[in-house]
PDB file of all heavy atoms in Angstrom:
ATOM      1  N   GLY A 133     221.252 267.771 173.828  1.00  0.00           N
ATOM      2  CA  GLY A 133     222.029 268.051 172.624  1.00  0.00           C
ATOM      3  C   GLY A 133     223.396 268.640 172.863  1.00  0.00           C
ATOM      4  O   GLY A 133     224.065 269.069 171.908  1.00  0.00           O
ATOM      5  N   ILE A 134     223.855 268.673 174.101  1.00  0.00           N
ATOM      6  CA  ILE A 134     225.153 269.275 174.415  1.00  0.00           C
ATOM      7  C   ILE A 134     226.239 268.215 174.265  1.00  0.00           C
ATOM      8  O   ILE A 134     226.214 267.194 174.948  1.00  0.00           O
ATOM      9  CB  ILE A 134     225.149 269.858 175.844  1.00  0.00           C
ATOM     10  CG1 ILE A 134     224.030 270.901 175.976  1.00  0.00           C
ATOM     11  CG2 ILE A 134     226.503 270.462 176.181  1.00  0.00           C
ATOM     12  CD1 ILE A 134     223.779 271.359 177.402  1.00  0.00           C
ATOM     13  N   GLU A 135     227.184 268.476 173.383  1.00  0.00           N
ATOM     14  CA  GLU A 135     228.187 267.469 173.068  1.00  0.00           C
ATOM     15  C   GLU A 135     229.621 267.931 173.245  1.00  0.00           C
ATOM     16  O   GLU A 135     230.504 267.106 173.505  1.00  0.00           O
ATOM     17  CB  GLU A 135     227.995 266.991 171.618  1.00  0.00           C
ATOM     18  CG  GLU A 135     226.649 266.313 171.376  1.00  0.00           C
ATOM     19  CD  GLU A 135     226.515 265.774 169.971  1.00  0.00           C
ATOM     20  OE1 GLU A 135     227.434 266.042 169.150  1.00  0.00           O
ATOM     21  OE2 GLU A 135     225.523 265.087 169.672  1.00  0.00           O
ATOM     22  N   SER A 136     229.886 269.207 173.112  1.00  0.00           N
ATOM     23  CA  SER A 136     231.272 269.667 173.058  1.00  0.00           C
ATOM     24  C   SER A 136     231.509 270.885 173.940  1.00  0.00           C
ATOM     25  O   SER A 136     230.556 271.582 174.322  1.00  0.00           O
ATOM     26  CB  SER A 136     231.638 270.027 171.613  1.00  0.00           C
ATOM     27  OG  SER A 136     230.956 271.216 171.222  1.00  0.00           O
ATOM     28  N   PRO A 137     232.777 271.178 174.230  1.00  0.00           N
ATOM     29  CA  PRO A 137     233.099 272.414 174.945  1.00  0.00           C
ATOM     30  C   PRO A 137     232.585 273.652 174.215  1.00  0.00           C
ATOM     31  O   PRO A 137     232.158 274.617 174.848  1.00  0.00           O
ATOM     32  CB  PRO A 137     234.626 272.390 175.018  1.00  0.00           C
ATOM     33  CG  PRO A 137     234.972 270.927 175.020  1.00  0.00           C
ATOM     34  CD  PRO A 137     233.975 270.308 174.084  1.00  0.00           C
ATOM     35  N   ASP A 138     232.607 273.623 172.893  1.00  0.00           N
ATOM     36  CA  ASP A 138     232.089 274.762 172.117  1.00  0.00           C
ATOM     37  C   ASP A 138     230.605 274.975 172.390  1.00  0.00           C
ATOM     38  O   ASP A 138     230.128 276.118 172.439  1.00  0.00           O
ATOM     39  CB  ASP A 138     232.313 274.532 170.623  1.00  0.00           C
ATOM     40  CG  ASP A 138     233.764 274.700 170.203  1.00  0.00           C
ATOM     41  OD1 ASP A 138     234.548 275.268 170.993  1.00  0.00           O
ATOM     42  OD2 ASP A 138     234.118 274.248 169.100  1.00  0.00           O
ATOM     43  N   ASP A 139     229.862 273.882 172.570  1.00  0.00           N
ATOM     44  CA  ASP A 139     228.441 274.004 172.896  1.00  0.00           C
ATOM     45  C   ASP A 139     228.251 274.699 174.242  1.00  0.00           C
ATOM     46  O   ASP A 139     227.367 275.544 174.411  1.00  0.00           O
ATOM     47  CB  ASP A 139     227.779 272.618 172.955  1.00  0.00           C
ATOM     48  CG  ASP A 139     227.698 271.942 171.600  1.00  0.00           C
ATOM     49  OD1 ASP A 139     227.786 272.647 170.575  1.00  0.00           O
ATOM     50  OD2 ASP A 139     227.542 270.706 171.580  1.00  0.00           O
ATOM     51  N   ILE A 140     229.105 274.348 175.207  1.00  0.00           N
ATOM     52  CA  ILE A 140     229.030 274.967 176.536  1.00  0.00           C
ATOM     53  C   ILE A 140     229.297 276.466 176.431  1.00  0.00           C
ATOM     54  O   ILE A 140     228.578 277.283 177.028  1.00  0.00           O
ATOM     55  CB  ILE A 140     230.041 274.320 177.503  1.00  0.00           C
ATOM     56  CG1 ILE A 140     229.722 272.833 177.707  1.00  0.00           C
ATOM     57  CG2 ILE A 140     230.066 275.064 178.830  1.00  0.00           C
ATOM     58  CD1 ILE A 140     228.440 272.543 178.422  1.00  0.00           C
ATOM     59  N   VAL A 141     230.320 276.835 175.688  1.00  0.00           N
ATOM     60  CA  VAL A 141     230.657 278.253 175.516  1.00  0.00           C
ATOM     61  C   VAL A 141     229.495 279.005 174.879  1.00  0.00           C
ATOM     62  O   VAL A 141     229.113 280.098 175.326  1.00  0.00           O
ATOM     63  CB  VAL A 141     231.931 278.404 174.662  1.00  0.00           C
ATOM     64  CG1 VAL A 141     232.179 279.875 174.316  1.00  0.00           C
ATOM     65  CG2 VAL A 141     233.144 277.831 175.396  1.00  0.00           C
ATOM     66  N   TYR A 142     228.921 278.432 173.846  1.00  0.00           N
ATOM     67  CA  TYR A 142     227.791 279.065 173.162  1.00  0.00           C
ATOM     68  C   TYR A 142     226.601 279.237 174.093  1.00  0.00           C
ATOM     69  O   TYR A 142     226.021 280.336 174.211  1.00  0.00           O
ATOM     70  CB  TYR A 142     227.400 278.239 171.941  1.00  0.00           C
ATOM     71  CG  TYR A 142     226.064 278.606 171.348  1.00  0.00           C
ATOM     72  CD1 TYR A 142     225.867 279.840 170.720  1.00  0.00           C
ATOM     73  CD2 TYR A 142     224.991 277.722 171.421  1.00  0.00           C
ATOM     74  CE1 TYR A 142     224.635 280.180 170.185  1.00  0.00           C
ATOM     75  CE2 TYR A 142     223.759 278.052 170.883  1.00  0.00           C
ATOM     76  CZ  TYR A 142     223.583 279.280 170.266  1.00  0.00           C
ATOM     77  OH  TYR A 142     222.355 279.622 169.740  1.00  0.00           O
ATOM     78  N   LEU A 143     226.227 278.179 174.791  1.00  0.00           N
ATOM     79  CA  LEU A 143     225.042 278.222 175.659  1.00  0.00           C
ATOM     80  C   LEU A 143     225.261 279.123 176.860  1.00  0.00           C
ATOM     81  O   LEU A 143     224.327 279.786 177.323  1.00  0.00           O
ATOM     82  CB  LEU A 143     224.681 276.805 176.099  1.00  0.00           C
ATOM     83  CG  LEU A 143     224.210 275.889 174.960  1.00  0.00           C
ATOM     84  CD1 LEU A 143     224.161 274.437 175.422  1.00  0.00           C
ATOM     85  CD2 LEU A 143     222.849 276.331 174.428  1.00  0.00           C
ATOM     86  N   ASN A 144     226.477 279.185 177.353  1.00  0.00           N
ATOM     87  CA  ASN A 144     226.795 280.125 178.434  1.00  0.00           C
ATOM     88  C   ASN A 144     226.582 281.564 177.949  1.00  0.00           C
ATOM     89  O   ASN A 144     226.043 282.399 178.683  1.00  0.00           O
ATOM     90  CB  ASN A 144     228.239 279.921 178.887  1.00  0.00           C
ATOM     91  CG  ASN A 144     228.650 280.867 179.987  1.00  0.00           C
ATOM     92  OD1 ASN A 144     228.173 280.789 181.110  1.00  0.00           O
ATOM     93  ND2 ASN A 144     229.557 281.790 179.663  1.00  0.00           N
ATOM     94  N   GLY A 145     226.971 281.822 176.730  1.00  0.00           N
ATOM     95  CA  GLY A 145     226.762 283.145 176.153  1.00  0.00           C
ATOM     96  C   GLY A 145     225.303 283.478 175.935  1.00  0.00           C
ATOM     97  O   GLY A 145     224.926 284.650 175.851  1.00  0.00           O
ATOM     98  N   CYS A 146     224.463 282.433 175.868  1.00  0.00           N
ATOM     99  CA  CYS A 146     223.025 282.632 175.703  1.00  0.00           C
ATOM    100  C   CYS A 146     222.327 282.888 177.032  1.00  0.00           C
ATOM    101  O   CYS A 146     221.117 283.184 177.046  1.00  0.00           O
ATOM    102  CB  CYS A 146     222.387 281.410 175.046  1.00  0.00           C
ATOM    103  SG  CYS A 146     222.944 281.087 173.360  1.00  0.00           S
ATOM    104  N   GLY A 147     223.053 282.753 178.139  1.00  0.00           N
ATOM    105  CA  GLY A 147     222.463 283.028 179.436  1.00  0.00           C
ATOM    106  C   GLY A 147     222.242 281.821 180.326  1.00  0.00           C
ATOM    107  O   GLY A 147     221.711 281.952 181.426  1.00  0.00           O
ATOM    108  N   ALA A 148     222.658 280.645 179.885  1.00  0.00           N
ATOM    109  CA  ALA A 148     222.510 279.452 180.716  1.00  0.00           C
ATOM    110  C   ALA A 148     223.544 279.450 181.835  1.00  0.00           C
ATOM    111  O   ALA A 148     224.724 279.713 181.597  1.00  0.00           O
ATOM    112  CB  ALA A 148     222.645 278.191 179.868  1.00  0.00           C
ATOM    113  N   SER A 149     223.083 279.135 183.042  1.00  0.00           N
ATOM    114  CA  SER A 149     223.980 279.099 184.202  1.00  0.00           C
ATOM    115  C   SER A 149     224.556 277.725 184.448  1.00  0.00           C
ATOM    116  O   SER A 149     225.572 277.579 185.137  1.00  0.00           O
ATOM    117  CB  SER A 149     223.214 279.527 185.466  1.00  0.00           C
ATOM    118  OG  SER A 149     222.692 280.820 185.323  1.00  0.00           O
ATOM    119  N   ALA A 150     223.900 276.695 183.925  1.00  0.00           N
ATOM    120  CA  ALA A 150     224.358 275.318 184.094  1.00  0.00           C
ATOM    121  C   ALA A 150     223.895 274.517 182.884  1.00  0.00           C
ATOM    122  O   ALA A 150     223.065 274.979 182.088  1.00  0.00           O
ATOM    123  CB  ALA A 150     223.812 274.718 185.393  1.00  0.00           C
ATOM    124  N   PHE A 151     224.427 273.291 182.785  1.00  0.00           N
ATOM    125  CA  PHE A 151     224.232 272.516 181.570  1.00  0.00           C
ATOM    126  C   PHE A 151     223.977 271.062 181.948  1.00  0.00           C
ATOM    127  O   PHE A 151     224.822 270.433 182.585  1.00  0.00           O
ATOM    128  CB  PHE A 151     225.465 272.645 180.670  1.00  0.00           C
ATOM    129  CG  PHE A 151     225.952 274.067 180.577  1.00  0.00           C
ATOM    130  CD1 PHE A 151     226.883 274.555 181.497  1.00  0.00           C
ATOM    131  CD2 PHE A 151     225.440 274.940 179.633  1.00  0.00           C
ATOM    132  CE1 PHE A 151     227.312 275.879 181.454  1.00  0.00           C
ATOM    133  CE2 PHE A 151     225.852 276.261 179.586  1.00  0.00           C
ATOM    134  CZ  PHE A 151     226.790 276.734 180.499  1.00  0.00           C
ATOM    135  N   LEU A 152     222.807 270.551 181.560  1.00  0.00           N
ATOM    136  CA  LEU A 152     222.464 269.164 181.860  1.00  0.00           C
ATOM    137  C   LEU A 152     222.852 268.308 180.664  1.00  0.00           C
ATOM    138  O   LEU A 152     222.341 268.505 179.562  1.00  0.00           O
ATOM    139  CB  LEU A 152     220.973 269.045 182.169  1.00  0.00           C
ATOM    140  CG  LEU A 152     220.528 267.744 182.838  1.00  0.00           C
ATOM    141  CD1 LEU A 152     219.234 267.965 183.629  1.00  0.00           C
ATOM    142  CD2 LEU A 152     220.328 266.611 181.845  1.00  0.00           C
ATOM    143  N   VAL A 153     223.757 267.372 180.901  1.00  0.00           N
ATOM    144  CA  VAL A 153     224.332 266.584 179.807  1.00  0.00           C
ATOM    145  C   VAL A 153     224.257 265.103 180.156  1.00  0.00           C
ATOM    146  O   VAL A 153     224.740 264.686 181.212  1.00  0.00           O
ATOM    147  CB  VAL A 153     225.803 266.963 179.543  1.00  0.00           C
ATOM    148  CG1 VAL A 153     226.297 266.292 178.261  1.00  0.00           C
ATOM    149  CG2 VAL A 153     225.978 268.479 179.468  1.00  0.00           C
ATOM    150  N   GLY A 154     223.654 264.329 179.284  1.00  0.00           N
ATOM    151  CA  GLY A 154     223.552 262.900 179.522  1.00  0.00           C
ATOM    152  C   GLY A 154     224.142 262.065 178.422  1.00  0.00           C
ATOM    153  O   GLY A 154     225.164 261.412 178.584  1.00  0.00           O
ATOM    154  N   THR A 155     223.520 262.096 177.246  1.00  0.00           N
ATOM    155  CA  THR A 155     223.856 261.168 176.174  1.00  0.00           C
ATOM    156  C   THR A 155     225.318 261.214 175.767  1.00  0.00           C
ATOM    157  O   THR A 155     225.979 260.183 175.668  1.00  0.00           O
ATOM    158  CB  THR A 155     222.963 261.428 174.948  1.00  0.00           C
ATOM    159  OG1 THR A 155     221.591 261.264 175.316  1.00  0.00           O
ATOM    160  CG2 THR A 155     223.294 260.473 173.813  1.00  0.00           C
ATOM    161  N   SER A 156     225.854 262.405 175.525  1.00  0.00           N
ATOM    162  CA  SER A 156     227.227 262.491 175.017  1.00  0.00           C
ATOM    163  C   SER A 156     228.241 261.971 176.031  1.00  0.00           C
ATOM    164  O   SER A 156     229.263 261.391 175.660  1.00  0.00           O
ATOM    165  CB  SER A 156     227.564 263.930 174.611  1.00  0.00           C
ATOM    166  OG  SER A 156     227.528 264.811 175.719  1.00  0.00           O
ATOM    167  N   ILE A 157     227.963 262.164 177.322  1.00  0.00           N
ATOM    168  CA  ILE A 157     228.864 261.645 178.358  1.00  0.00           C
ATOM    169  C   ILE A 157     228.736 260.128 178.466  1.00  0.00           C
ATOM    170  O   ILE A 157     229.738 259.401 178.530  1.00  0.00           O
ATOM    171  CB  ILE A 157     228.562 262.309 179.716  1.00  0.00           C
ATOM    172  CG1 ILE A 157     228.951 263.790 179.673  1.00  0.00           C
ATOM    173  CG2 ILE A 157     229.302 261.595 180.853  1.00  0.00           C
ATOM    174  CD1 ILE A 157     228.531 264.580 180.893  1.00  0.00           C
ATOM    175  N   MET A 158     227.507 259.618 178.446  1.00  0.00           N
ATOM    176  CA  MET A 158     227.290 258.180 178.581  1.00  0.00           C
ATOM    177  C   MET A 158     227.838 257.409 177.385  1.00  0.00           C
ATOM    178  O   MET A 158     228.313 256.282 177.515  1.00  0.00           O
ATOM    179  CB  MET A 158     225.795 257.895 178.745  1.00  0.00           C
ATOM    180  CG  MET A 158     225.181 258.396 180.042  1.00  0.00           C
ATOM    181  SD  MET A 158     225.776 257.536 181.524  1.00  0.00           S
ATOM    182  CE  MET A 158     225.065 255.905 181.305  1.00  0.00           C
ATOM    183  N   LYS A 159     227.788 258.015 176.206  1.00  0.00           N
ATOM    184  CA  LYS A 159     228.256 257.329 175.005  1.00  0.00           C
ATOM    185  C   LYS A 159     229.752 257.490 174.770  1.00  0.00           C
ATOM    186  O   LYS A 159     230.331 256.791 173.931  1.00  0.00           O
ATOM    187  CB  LYS A 159     227.509 257.871 173.766  1.00  0.00           C
ATOM    188  CG  LYS A 159     226.048 257.475 173.696  1.00  0.00           C
ATOM    189  CD  LYS A 159     225.383 258.082 172.482  1.00  0.00           C
ATOM    190  CE  LYS A 159     225.951 257.517 171.192  1.00  0.00           C
ATOM    191  NZ  LYS A 159     225.220 258.040 170.004  1.00  0.00           N
ATOM    192  N   GLY A 160     230.367 258.386 175.522  1.00  0.00           N
ATOM    193  CA  GLY A 160     231.743 258.746 175.221  1.00  0.00           C
ATOM    194  C   GLY A 160     232.797 257.725 175.589  1.00  0.00           C
ATOM    195  O   GLY A 160     233.946 257.826 175.150  1.00  0.00           O
ATOM    196  N   GLY A 161     232.450 256.752 176.414  1.00  0.00           N
ATOM    197  CA  GLY A 161     233.424 255.730 176.786  1.00  0.00           C
ATOM    198  C   GLY A 161     234.145 256.025 178.080  1.00  0.00           C
ATOM    199  O   GLY A 161     234.090 255.241 179.012  1.00  0.00           O
TER     200      GLY A 161
END
C-alpha cells in the first residue's frame, strides 16, 4: 500500500526501517 513520499515519511515515523514497494512502482511507468 505504499504509494507516495508522504507514505514513506509516515511509516518511518511509525518505526519502520525499510519499505517494501511493488505495485505503485510497477504501475508508475
